[in-house]
Amino acid sequence: MIQTSYFPCSKGMRQGDPLSPFLFLVVMEALSVLMEKAVGKGVFKGISLPNGGPCVSHLFYADDAIIMGEWSVDNAINVIQALRCFHICSGVDRSDVDLVANSLGCLADDFSFKYLGITVGANMNRICNWRPVYEVLELRLSLWKASVLSLGGELR
């Protein structure tokens, strides 16, 4: 093993980082294994496909996750417990995140981040948090209105 010199890390992982998809896959693989074990032990009941097909409990595509199962109170409680377990395994207290980030020379990012134009983690009951969505819709509607105006009524 070749030892390299130390380099300072100052930004942390950001959205769009080339390493981000790989880390997402590693984390989602852990969630997949957790769900498979829950189904295997009978703790969570997925949806059995007809004609002897497999039992489906979760699907992952790109950066989306769908968890599906039989409709029952026990199933809902057990999937919440599985997700809590996943959260505990994948996340720690903010103070611990800050401590580790500082020891690595990084800055920990806030939970609030933008996804599809909406701030995740923000209080969506506040009107100001809907402002970016409103502005995008307003811009698109104004462009659409301009494109459908009739040129026949134009004075020459």
Side-chain angles (χ1 to χ4, degrees):
M1 179 189 236
I2 300 172
Q3 185 175 5
T4 60
S5 62
Y6 173 78
F7 63 94
C9 177
S10 60
K11 293 286 186 182
M13 178 94 47
R14 301 279 182 208
Q15 188 172 1
D17 190 296
L19 192 57
S20 183
F22 173 72
L23 289 177
F24 178 79
L25 288 175
V26 169
V27 171
M28 287 297 102
E29 181 65 23
L31 179 58
S32 180
V33 168
L34 179 69
M35 290 304 299
E36 287 171 5
K37 284 192 176 207
V39 170
K41 292 187 181 262
V43 174
F44 182 76
K45 295 180 180 92
I47 297 174
S48 296
L49 297 179
N51 300 327
C55 179
V56 179
S57 62
H58 60 283
L59 296 171
F60 298 136
Y61 180 76
D63 59 353
D64 295 323
I66 300 172
I67 296 175
M68 60 189 90
E70 290 182 4
W71 186 257
S72 71
V73 174
D74 288 339
N75 228 20
I77 290 171
N78 289 336
V79 77
I80 289 169
Q81 288 176 345
L83 290 173
R84 278 192 188 137
C85 184
F86 177 71
H87 169 74
I88 290 168
C89 291
S90 62
V92 291
D93 292 335
R94 178 63 189 206
S95 60
D96 292 336
V97 171
D98 290 334
L99 180 68
V100 172
N102 287 336
S103 68
L104 294 174
C106 299
L107 298 173
D109 205 1
D110 290 332
F111 176 69
S112 297
F113 59 92
K114 290 206 178 265
Y115 181 72
L116 300 177
I118 297 177
T119 305
V120 175
N123 181 0
M124 297 313 288
N125 290 330
R126 299 187 64 198
I127 294 172
C128 65
N129 291 327
W130 286 99
R131 173 62 57 194
V133 177
Y134 174 79
E135 290 171 353
V136 168
L137 287 174
E138 186 178 43
L139 176 67
R140 288 184 183 173
L141 284 175
S142 67
L143 293 173
W144 173 73
K145 285 183 201 175
S147 69
V148 295
L149 288 176
S150 171
L151 296 178
E154 188 176 296
L155 294 175
R156 295 189 196 251

